[in-house]
Amino acid sequence: MTETDSNVYDVVVVGAGPVGENVADRTRAAGLTTAVVESELVGGECSFWACMPSKTLLRPVIAQADARRLPGLSDSVQGPLDAAAVLARRNEFTSNWNDDGQVQWLAGIGADFHRGHGRLTGPRTVEVTGPDGARHVLTARHAVALATGTRAMLPDLPGLAEVKPWTSREATSAQSVPGRLVVVGGGVVATEMATAYQALGSRVTLLVRGKGLLNRMEPFAGEMVADALTEAGVDVRTGTSVESVSRENGTVVVVTDRGGRIEADEILFATGRAPRTDDLGLDTVGLTPGSWLEVDDSLRVTGSEWLYAVGDINHRALLTHQGKYQARIAGAAIAARASGVPLLESDPWGAHSATADHAAVPQVVFTDPEAASVGLSLAEAEQAGHRVRAVDYDLASVAGASVYAEGYRGRARMVVDLEREILLGVTFVGPGIGELIHSATIAVVGQVPISRLWHAVPSYPTISEVWLRLLESYRDN
């Protein structure tokens, strides 16, 4: 393995999911030579096993649910979904798990692509083992950015490997719908896949170890989603853990800690994520393999001058859009440091600081109803020592919601910092609210005073009129 000028770059990015792609895009835009290393598919988890396939599975489910709430249309959409057509459209959105288009995109921005497994072998050096076993070394003049993401965690249950359980990857790429599906977990993947597969024809049992669903959101979000799943036919069992699982004559048999026995065709574990850092050569630079990587707000690994960890592996906010945000910040910071430009570290909302990771992380859960939040929940704000007040409003009382659907059910909450009279967090639950959360994100990020929000007039009749109702409720109480 002889190092030549052809494998020396300004920046080496390990991981070509959306986060790695965005780091490369920003460093190339700054004129830095950039190599990108990927062992699987360019486009990563989001394009092929997470965001895009899951949302294309869910879109017909939500569209049908909305249509069933509208007189004049509801009678026409009472039949089952065409599962084969839904799966076929999902396949189109994943390009049938072919990454040629995304490889071409990398070439289009001027990045060099190296397919293979990348491992650090020391400061600023990455060894790439190609599919044929051949090895070569890439050297970075300025920075190495690790963007390898996470993998699904499976519990330590005897015989689980023989059962061949689903993780999020199998759930989003399955080519047929199981007649019976057990979903273990209460978070985003669990609730979204329970929503999708129940509507596609599975008989779904959802096993949740905790007291409720979506425990990172306001409690009412999980409660409303659980009620809707139950109404849709999902058997939701909270406070329930899996004691054992086996496959007998092709049938999955699940025994719970309550002594229950459940039979299914497949079982999906959606019980957390682990960083893909176990085989990155972290030990060669004084870090612990398999660990989450601690970073500063410019995404540089603590204690390093050249190593960056961007996206899920730093455990700041395990969301594709937040990882891409971090990538833009990291790319700008790498470019600034490479050219000797001082970083704007004194400005918490500046070009080199991923402040939103702490204060304004938006998320949408694409269940029916949708649940969306940004910023701090009431409990988080109180725990952080803020003097706050929660203002709630019934979304069904908004004219736009009544137009949107008969029997609309939803709820909105804003968490107000009483000393500064700005919003620290906002949560919406209800049909069609996914597109509403960005207005809340702008209000939180911009620290828009309540007095100024009165001048942001919502169009009538839209669901966005809830903003006016929340402000009125704050004023009148």
Side-chain angles (χ1 to χ4, degrees), residues 191 213-214 220-230 367-369 371 429:
T191 53
L213 308 181
L214 304 176
F220 65 81
E223 292 166 4
M224 295 183 74
V225 170
D227 289 345
L229 284 170
T230 299
T367 47
D368 177 37
V429 182

Side-chain angles (χ1 to χ4, degrees), residues 21-335:
E21 288 176 324
N22 272 260
V23 174
D25 186 43
R26 291 298 84 211
T27 56
R28 284 298 302 130
L32 300 177
T33 59
T34 302
V36 180
V37 182
E38 174 57 57
S39 61
E40 294 189 297
L41 297 177
V42 176
E45 205 79 14
C46 176
S47 296
F48 298 104
W49 299 287
C51 314
M52 295 310 296
S54 67
K55 300 322 172 269
T56 51
L57 287 175
L58 284 158
R59 179 58 196 142
V61 176
I62 303 305
Q64 184 185 54
D66 283 345
R68 285 176 172 175
R69 298 184 184 106
L70 290 174
L73 182 59
S74 59
D75 289 345
S76 303
V77 291
Q78 290 303 317
L81 288 169
D82 184 340
V86 173
L87 296 178
R89 182 171 185 261
R90 182 275 319 274
N91 291 350
E92 292 177 7
F93 269 79
T94 61
S95 301
N96 290 292
W97 291 272
N98 181 294
D99 67 354
D100 287 351
Q102 303 219 42
V103 171
Q104 291 173 9
W105 179 86
L106 278 178
I109 65 170
D112 286 356
F113 175 51
H114 300 260
R115 195 180 293 277
H117 179 72
R119 293 182 81 258
L120 294 167
T121 56
R124 295 185 172 87
T125 60
V126 175
E127 181 183 83
V128 181
T129 303
D132 60 357
R135 299 182 181 185
H136 61 282
V137 174
L138 307 178
T139 301
R141 296 187 185 92
H142 299 293
V144 174
L146 303 178
T148 52
T150 59
R151 56 176 173 78
M153 291 177 60
L154 288 171
D156 185 14
L157 290 172
L160 185 60
E162 287 72 30
V163 173
K164 296 182 179 178
W166 281 9
T167 66
S168 54
R169 282 197 170 195
E170 288 76 22
T172 56
S173 62
Q175 296 300 314
S176 61
V177 177
R180 300 163 298 174
L181 176 66
V182 172
V183 180
V184 184
V188 177
V189 172
T191 53
E192 288 188 346
M193 291 300 95
T195 299
Y197 276 96
Q198 180 70 29
L200 289 171
S202 291
R203 190 163 75 247
V204 177
T205 302
L206 181 60
L207 304 181
V208 187
R209 183 173 58 183
K211 296 180 179 179
L213 308 181
L214 304 176
N215 61 14
R216 295 183 180 275
M217 288 187 165
E218 298 282 8
F220 65 81
E223 292 166 4
M224 295 183 74
V225 170
D227 289 345
L229 284 170
T230 299
E231 290 178 13
V234 175
D235 181 0
V236 179
R237 305 185 191 184
T238 57
T240 304
S241 297
V242 175
E243 287 285 298
S244 68
V245 59
S246 59
R247 196 178 284 271
E248 302 173 6
N249 299 318
T251 297
V252 175
V253 178
V254 181
V255 177
T256 72
D257 59 342
R258 296 189 172 187
R261 175 186 168 96
I262 307 165
E263 294 187 354
D265 299 292
E266 301 291 350
I267 183 169
L268 162 63
F269 282 93
T271 49
R273 309 287 297 181
R276 290 177 177 267
T277 59
D278 51 319
D279 191 21
L280 282 181
L282 295 183
D283 53 310
T284 68
V285 293
L287 298 170
T288 303
S291 65
W292 302 100
L293 296 179
E294 182 181 336
V295 296
D296 62 21
D297 276 355
S298 72
L299 290 309
R300 190 166 59 176
V301 173
T302 302
S304 176
E305 295 296 319
W306 56 272
L307 185 62
Y308 293 73
V310 192
D312 286 4
I313 61 171
N314 61 40
H315 208 242
R316 287 163 68 105
L318 276 66
L319 295 159
T320 295
H321 50 270
Q322 210 67 22
K324 292 166 70 173
Y325 160 74
Q326 292 176 12
R328 295 189 292 271
I329 298 294
I334 291 168

